[in-house]
């Protein structure tokens, strides 16, 4: 009797934990499944059956930005950080659009000037996009002109930092690939040396046998 009660207790506890995890994961999902998608790609993602860009598989609309990585290349998760290979598209209306690595989505750092990359509520990102740098200029006054120039400089400086961080991340990936290649080469070299050593030992044994046979 006690074993049955314990079993039911553990089953109920497991269901509660699963429900809580599911609720927390849903709260981290974007409000729109098209968040992080470029306007040029909206037609591609509007199909009933969407193909991964690497051709590995297909997925439906329900799996678009659902927080689970289905495509190896991250095609199905452009708006979340589920796939390491996916890219998040910042629309930055009025400013320059931007592509971010998926690792920067909901990392509590405002990367997009429109703040679209931080939607989980962990941080509030103010929209700092400048509409072609002319909004404050049209209002008149030197103070507004100076403030606009400062804002433009800060935005350009931020974009340079983001580009440098992207470059560093790409270099880190290249360094990892080089290390893997060097390990493979090292293994091949060791195997070759072992083969040469085996051949030398074999020839030495043959010569010793011939010498002993002659003597």
């Amino acid at each position: 009797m006690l074993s049955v009660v314990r079993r039911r207790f553990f089953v109920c506890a497991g269901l509660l934990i699963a429900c809580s995890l599911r609720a927390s994961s849903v709260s981290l999902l974007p409000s729109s499944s098209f968040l992080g998608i470029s306007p040029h790609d909206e037609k591609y993602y509007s199909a009933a059956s969407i193909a991964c860009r690497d051709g590995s598989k297909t997925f439906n609309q329900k799996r678009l930005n659902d927080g689970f990585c289905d495509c190896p290349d991250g095609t199905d998760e452009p708006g979340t950080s589920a796939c390491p290979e996916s890219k998040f598209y910042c629309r930055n209306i009025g400013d320059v659009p931007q592509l971010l690595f998926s690792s920067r989505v909901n990392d509590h750092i405002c990367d997009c000037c429109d703040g679209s990359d931080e939607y989980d509520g962990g941080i509030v990102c103010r929209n700092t996009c400048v509409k072609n740098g002319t909004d404050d200029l049209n209002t008149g006054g030197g103070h507004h002109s100076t403030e606009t120039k400062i804002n433009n400089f800060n935005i350009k400086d931020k974009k340079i930092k983001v580009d440098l961080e992207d470059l560093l991340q790409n270099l880190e990936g290249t360094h990892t690939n080089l290390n893997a290649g060097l390990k493979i080469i090292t293994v091949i070299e060791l195997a070759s040396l072992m083969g040469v050593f085996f051949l030398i030992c074999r020839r030495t044994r043959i010569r010793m046998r011939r010498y002993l046979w002659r003597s």
Side-chain angles (χ1 to χ4, degrees), residues 21-176:
L21 290 175
R22 179 64 179 173
S24 62
S25 64
V26 169
S27 64
L28 296 178
L29 297 179
S31 57
S32 171
S33 60
F34 282 86
L35 184 67
I37 296 175
S38 169
H40 300 290
D41 294 331
E42 287 185 354
K43 186 177 180 181
Y44 181 83
Y45 284 98
S46 298
S49 179
I50 308 168
C52 301
R53 295 189 185 275
D54 61 0
S56 59
K57 59 177 73 174
T58 59
F59 59 95
N60 54 32
Q61 287 282 340
K62 292 182 179 180
R63 294 190 175 182
L64 177 60
N65 284 334
D66 65 346
F68 296 94
C69 191
D70 298 301
C71 299
D73 63 351
T75 305
D76 61 308
E77 298 297 321
T80 72
S81 57
C83 297
E85 299 297 328
S86 62
K87 295 291 183 65
F88 184 91
Y89 181 84
C90 306
R91 299 206 173 197
N92 295 343
I93 297 176
D95 209 294
V96 180
Q98 186 179 356
L99 275 176
L100 301 176
F101 285 103
S102 62
S103 58
R104 297 190 177 182
V105 177
N106 291 327
D107 62 348
H108 295 180
I109 299 175
C110 303
D111 296 300
C112 304
C113 68
D114 60 2
S116 58
D117 60 305
E118 301 296 323
Y119 53 79
D120 66 348
I123 186 174
V124 178
C125 296
R126 187 171 58 91
N127 191 331
T128 59
C129 296
V130 179
K131 295 182 179 180
N132 299 323
T134 58
D135 282 0
D136 291 334
L137 290 174
N138 292 334
T139 59
H143 171 71
H144 294 291
S145 176
T146 303
E147 185 178 355
T148 302
K149 290 179 180 179
I150 293 173
N151 289 335
N152 289 339
F153 176 79
N154 290 334
I155 291 170
K156 290 179 180 179
D157 183 60
K158 181 179 179 180
K159 289 176 181 176
I160 291 173
K161 290 180 179 178
V162 170
D163 291 339
L164 288 174
E165 290 175 359
D166 291 345
L167 178 60
L168 288 174
Q169 191 164 351
N170 284 329
L171 289 174
E172 288 177 359
T174 304
H175 182 262
T176 302

